[in-house]
Amino acid sequence: MPDTITITDDRTGKTVTVPITDGVFSSAAIRELDPNLYFYDPAYLSTASCRSEITYLDGDNGVLRYRGYPIEQLAEKSTYLEVAYLLRHGDLPTPAQFETWRNEITHHTFIHENMRKRFVDGFHYDAHPMGMFVSSVAALGTFYDDAKNIKDPQSRHNSFIRLIAKTPTLAAMCYRFSVGLPFNYPDNDLSYPANFLNMMWKVGDYEVDPVLERAMDILFILHADHEQNCGTTAMRVVGSSEADPYSSAAAAASALYGPLHGGANEAVVRMLTDIGSIDNVAEFVESVKRGEGKLMGFGHRVYKNYDPRAAIIKKSAYDVFEVTGKNPLLDIALKLEETALKDPYFVDRRLYPNVDFYSGLIYQAMNFPVEMFTVLFAIPRISGWLAHWEELLLDKEQKISRPRQWYTGPGERDYVDLSAR
Ligand code: SDX
């Protein structure tokens, strides 16, 4: 059987035969039948928006690979900085390449003093850290006018280095502001995750615990990229207009802020807290089945099996709890997972725990306030967003994103004066 699809326009009898490659075919062929014919695909459920070589997902089998490397191996053997290099360059770095990459990022962790002393002071004392983070990413771009030179490889490299290096500094700044604590400057003698934890928590003789440092690095690796998710799609759409990468990343972070996307880790902990006890789990599950709310941290557009990241995070949680003490919400989460995975409502809809179901328990055990959870998601995701942004700019098939619509509004009608309405 040929790898083709034949579409017939029954109105004219015209047909077009299109090759199928790796499960996709070009929709442009449809306009050979009729130039005014378009696919209607709300939320892009059946649309591939681009070619990409960065991340591969197999939703039915719970597979996630960055540039071909299984996420399980990267979480066990790699570091986030090495993964950020891999996402951008397509291969693991040599020792010399990694040292140059690490050194550049380490020496770009500072932000302009005006960000600390003037910009952040403009926020209300109880501003949500993710709202502050989104604004700070856009504001950061105003310090680097060369960022607009998106066709210049060196300018793009500078943006990669600055955004990867400074997002932990921005995140810690937002947190310290929200609790009225003085800021900690970056410490270039520390590793990437340790520097972030130090900026977050240092008061007096604080020392970063190596177990928490490694757990943070693993969480950064797991959250670095996830192909064409909502936030990355926003990065690509805004980037396709040739906007600078800081403005594009602010748009991506805004999409991530939503509770159906990156905001789910915050929503999961609030949900578990509201459930309050394992005795209430059964009734909560019934309420979800009655349509009274969603089981946050469950379900995924692509994974119709266990999210491989959730399994790794669940394992890492026990390492963290050895240091921090067990998060009391863990028992409720485990009972919720056990109950849902036996219930036809969830099994029939192929709803499994996703990356957000357990991550919040670790963050909470590490004393991060719930409002910081989505910021913690955004820090590493910046490297995925940037990798997709550069791939888009270098893709000869890409141009400014401008989908069509199915117009169902009123036909032409004449204006009626106010006095006659
Ligand atoms: C992330 O895309 C990515 O890759 C995202 C991400 C990444 O790394 O970037 O993986 C990160 O966003 C993870 C997802 C975090 N969000 C949540 O945990 C929020 C809860 N999950 C749902 O809102 C939902 O599952 C989505 C948004 C994640 C996926 O939604 P879809 O693909 O549009 O699926 P759907 O809403 O069409 O659901 C199909 C059915 C529906 O029931 P019916 O109308 O068929 O009866 O499943 C039901 C939904 O009501 N359903 C749920 C549910 N998720 C879907 N019912 C209860 N609880 C849920 N969580």
Side-chain angles (χ1 to χ4, degrees):
M1 292 293 276
D3 276 341
T4 57
I5 187 166
T6 299
I7 305 170
T8 300
D9 185 343
D10 295 329
R11 301 169 299 172
T12 61
K14 280 171 73 177
T15 69
V16 65
T17 297
V18 199
I20 297 171
T21 312
D22 299 334
V24 300
F25 66 93
S26 169
S27 64
I30 201 85
R31 286 202 294 288
E32 288 173 33
L33 295 174
D34 174 345
N36 296 309
L37 211 51
Y38 297 97
F39 285 105
Y40 175 56
D41 185 16
Y44 314 115
L45 281 157
S46 310
T47 293
S49 63
C50 62
R51 291 175 196 261
S52 182
E53 300 175 5
I54 299 172
T55 293
Y56 172 75
L57 301 186
D58 173 345
D60 290 331
N61 297 300
V63 172
L64 166 55
R65 300 187 202 125
Y66 293 160
R67 300 285 189 175
Y69 294 97
I71 194 66
E72 294 81 3
Q73 293 183 28
L74 293 172
E76 186 187 340
K77 300 174 179 173
S78 188
T79 63
Y80 166 68
L81 277 194
E82 183 177 72
V83 163
Y85 182 99
L86 170 67
L87 289 171
R88 184 193 185 193
H89 293 288
D91 283 307
L92 291 169
T94 63
Q97 287 167 333
F98 181 67
E99 189 44 37
T100 303
W101 175 258
R102 190 197 62 76
N103 192 49
E104 279 195 281
I105 285 168
T106 300
H107 291 90
H108 280 82
T109 50
F110 276 69
I111 56 177
H112 194 287
E113 284 292 277
N114 282 4
M115 287 284 291
R116 286 180 188 285
K117 292 178 177 164
R118 296 188 187 162
F119 175 76
V120 75
D121 274 347
F123 289 105
H124 203 252
Y125 72 91
D126 61 354
H128 193 292
M130 189 59 184
M132 293 171 67
F133 179 83
V134 167
S135 320
S136 303
V137 170
L140 191 64
T142 66
F143 290 90
Y144 307 107
D145 214 39
D146 81 308
K148 290 185 174 64
N149 306 329
I150 52 142
K151 294 188 167 53
D152 171 19
Q154 185 57 50
S155 166
R156 293 200 302 268
H157 178 73
N158 295 344
S159 296
F160 268 85
I161 295 297
R162 286 170 175 148
L163 276 163
I164 293 171
K166 298 177 198 294
T167 35
T169 311
L170 293 179
M173 173 189 76
C174 295
Y175 167 71
R176 300 286 284 199
F177 172 85
S178 69
V179 292
L181 282 173
F183 303 127
N184 290 313
Y185 284 105
D187 181 340
N188 294 343
D189 294 331
L190 298 174
S191 71
Y192 189 88
N195 175 47
F196 170 60
L197 293 173
N198 192 60
M199 288 190 288
M200 280 291 300
W201 305 124
K202 184 168 182 59
V203 176
D205 59 355
Y206 170 80
E207 287 290 324
V208 177
D209 183 297
V211 171
L212 303 187
E213 175 183 359
R214 181 58 190 156
M216 200 78 250
D217 215 17
I218 290 171
L219 285 159
F220 283 167
I221 289 170
L222 296 175
H223 286 85
D225 191 54
H226 214 241
E227 55 128 287
Q228 307 311 317
N229 58 83
C230 184
T232 301
T233 299
M235 183 82 182
R236 281 178 168 264
V237 168
V238 175
S240 73
S241 73
E242 298 191 359
D244 71 81
Y246 296 82
S247 306
S248 304
S254 299
L256 189 72
Y257 197 179
L260 294 188
H261 190 13
N265 52 19
E266 177 177 347
V268 166
V269 169
R270 293 188 194 283
M271 172 188 74
L272 295 172
T273 306
D274 290 347
I275 292 171
S277 153
I278 57 173
D279 300 333
N280 302 332
V281 164
E283 172 43 35
F284 174 77
V285 167
E286 289 310 309
S287 73
V288 170
K289 290 159 66 178
R290 290 194 298 268
E292 294 168 16
K294 287 188 181 291
L295 204 176
M296 300 309 276
F298 258 65
H300 199 277
R301 175 62 55 78
V302 176
Y303 290 126
K304 300 309 174 188
N305 196 320
Y306 216 96
D307 183 330
R309 301 169 295 176
I312 298 168
I313 289 174
K314 189 174 172 182
K315 185 172 154 301
S316 183
Y318 289 98
D319 297 337
V320 169
F321 296 160
E322 282 293 310
V323 173
T324 62
K326 190 174 90 170
N327 186 325
L329 296 179
L330 175 67
D331 292 332
I332 299 173
L334 292 169
K335 183 71 178 166
L336 203 44
E337 176 185 352
E338 178 201 336
T339 307
L341 295 188
K342 286 191 293 196
D343 189 309
Y345 177 93
F346 299 92
V347 174
D348 295 349
R349 290 171 176 79
R350 303 178 74 184
L351 301 176
Y352 292 86
N354 59 49
V355 66
D356 293 304
F357 191 63
Y358 285 104
S359 57
L361 296 181
I362 296 183
Y363 295 145
Q364 192 176 50
M366 292 172 74
N367 286 324
F368 288 105
V370 180
E371 294 75 16
M372 278 294 290
F373 289 8
T374 310
V375 176
L376 294 170
F377 195 146
I379 292 172
R381 186 53 62 92
I382 200 81
S383 51
W385 290 334
L386 287 166
H388 281 277
W389 166 74
E390 186 167 55
E391 185 177 63
L392 163 100
L393 292 178
L394 301 178
D395 182 343
K396 301 263 184 294
E397 290 183 330
Q398 289 291 344
K399 50 174 59 179
I400 187 168
S401 288
R402 204 276 183 225
R404 306 305 296 266
Q405 64 172 9
W406 173 6
Y407 179 71
T408 55
E412 185 176 355
R413 50 185 174 162
D414 295 328
Y415 182 82
V416 178
D417 290 339
L418 186 59
S419 59
R421 286 179 223 157

